[in-house]
Amino acid sequence: MDLKDHDQNLKIIGKIMLALGLILVPFSVFSFFFLEAFEESDFWLDFDRIEIFFVHIRNPHRILYFFPIFYGILAALFITSGMGLVGDKEWGKKFAMVPAVLLLFEFPIGTALGAYMIYALHTKKENQVNGA
């Protein structure tokens, strides 16, 4: 593998993003079903209302539905940007910056992968730089 082969590096990054997106799809589905089971459990009988900073929250378990929605949005984001990079689309290179920045917050492997993705997305091909 040649590190200077820019197109090949972007396709590898695209495949990694596709894999990460496909891993997030089951997380979204399973977290939704887990929350459905958790909502029907007896745990919530004492928590019909919660006061947080003088704000009354009815049915606080509904707030937890943020997680499956968040995982679903992340999965769509990773899959879309991965397809754009694998297909060598120009919009894919611009769109892939969003998941690259999000990966920076997942220490340690996500940080390294996100930093490399940002580096690879911002470096130009050698023949474009040399004017050939």
Side-chain angles (χ1 to χ4, degrees), residues 49-82:
R49 288 179 60 222
I50 292 180
E51 291 185 27
I52 300 175
F53 299 114
F54 304 108
V55 175
H56 301 286
I57 299 175
R58 272 188 69 121
N59 298 327
H61 55 279
R62 299 284 185 201
I63 295 172
L64 296 176
Y65 281 100
F66 167 76
F67 291 107
I69 294 169
F70 178 71
Y71 285 136
I73 291 171
L74 278 180
L77 184 69
F78 276 88
I79 289 172
T80 305
S81 59

Side-chain angles (χ1 to χ4, degrees), residues 103-127:
L103 278 174
L104 291 175
F105 297 105
E106 296 179 14
F107 185 78
I109 296 173
T111 303
L113 182 61
Y116 178 71
M117 286 171 58
I118 291 171
Y119 170 74
L121 289 169
H122 278 294
T123 55
K124 305 261 191 251
K125 292 183 187 179
E126 269 192 33
N127 58 3

Side-chain angles (χ1 to χ4, degrees), residues 2 81 83 94:
D2 185 18
S81 59
M83 287 172 40
K94 294 174 184 167

